[in-house]
Amino acid sequence: MKIGKILPALAILAISFSSVNAQDAPKGFEKGKVMLADGSTVTGYVKEKIRGNASVTVINDADKKKDNYDGNELLSAEVGDEKFVCIKGDFFKVINDGNLRFVQKSSDASGKPIYNGNQAVFANGTEGKPGDYFFYNESTKTLKLITKKTITAAADECLAGCDTAIAKAKAVSDDISQVGEAVAIYNNCGK
């Protein structure tokens, strides 16, 4: 067989493989899963609308049904490689995971209506604004805002019992995103 005939055949084969891969995820969706407030999990393709309106759309793997969930209906969500925890209707991106989590607020659900039947109740959401960093204690379900002004008190309170982690958190000057290293130390302290 001549090379001139093989190359077009290979090009057609490559196009067919790439179109199969492109059809895996619907446009705007990524593989992921959500954990509902009742503890059940729904896996499938997830489209995040977290920053826009504190919600996600999921195409369920089981029945291909498309459902919308807001932060009040979820405990957590995974969209591609990103993991989020949902607290009082808001989504928080998990930067460091463990019993103590270092999270970044990704949505603002304050003022968003929640319906109880046909009655609208407005959510208070959580303190802070999108982009702010927090400690989140998984066992006590407490959220602590971290700012340049509060880092010392927050570290003393949330990292108590691990002096190395406290020192690391207090050593962070202007870049609060570096507190994640202290949380990693804390979660491994005494192991």
Side-chain angles (χ1 to χ4, degrees):
M1 191 175 237
K2 292 184 179 180
I3 291 184
K5 291 182 179 181
I6 294 174
L7 290 177
L10 289 175
I12 291 170
L13 188 59
I15 291 170
S16 2
F17 279 127
S18 67
S19 64
V20 167
N21 290 337
Q23 292 174 0
D24 286 347
K27 186 174 180 173
F29 286 79
E30 292 185 69
K31 199 72 175 147
K33 66 181 176 180
V34 294
M35 182 179 284
L36 304 178
D38 67 4
S40 62
T41 302
V42 178
T43 59
Y45 292 105
V46 181
K47 182 176 188 176
E48 67 98 355
K49 299 179 276 185
I50 293 170
R51 288 144 193 90
N53 67 357
S55 70
V56 293
T57 301
V58 180
I59 299 175
N60 190 327
D61 274 344
D63 59 11
K64 306 301 181 212
K65 185 178 170 195
K66 188 186 286 188
D67 291 306
N68 293 312
Y69 299 100
D70 67 25
N72 285 311
E73 299 171 293
L74 302 175
L75 295 174
S76 65
E78 289 182 29
V79 183
D81 294 333
E82 293 186 325
K83 185 174 180 180
F84 298 89
V85 63
C86 300
I87 306 164
K88 295 184 180 178
D90 280 320
F91 285 80
F92 290 83
K93 181 180 177 182
V94 178
I95 298 169
N96 287 81
D97 209 354
N99 187 44
L100 182 67
R101 292 178 173 172
F102 181 57
V103 297
Q104 184 176 29
K105 188 169 181 173
S106 299
S107 68
D108 185 4
S110 63
K112 186 175 181 177
I114 303 166
Y115 291 94
N116 183 6
N118 62 358
Q119 289 281 351
V121 178
F122 291 92
N124 290 333
T126 56
E127 69 178 313
K129 60 188 182 310
D132 285 345
Y133 293 97
F134 294 80
F135 289 121
Y136 179 64
N137 188 310
E138 182 64 31
S139 59
T140 62
K141 306 292 186 214
T142 54
L143 191 64
K144 185 75 174 173
L145 176 64
I146 307 168
T147 66
K148 292 175 191 175
K149 292 181 181 178
T150 65
I151 184 65
T152 300
D156 286 339
E157 179 183 337
C158 297
L159 304 173
C162 186
D163 294 339
T164 308
I166 292 171
K168 182 72 173 174
K170 289 180 180 180
V172 171
S173 55
D174 289 340
D175 190 1
I176 299 297
S177 68
Q178 299 303 310
V179 173
E181 295 173 25
V183 172
I185 293 168
Y186 176 82
N187 284 326
N188 290 309
C189 204
K191 288 187 178 179

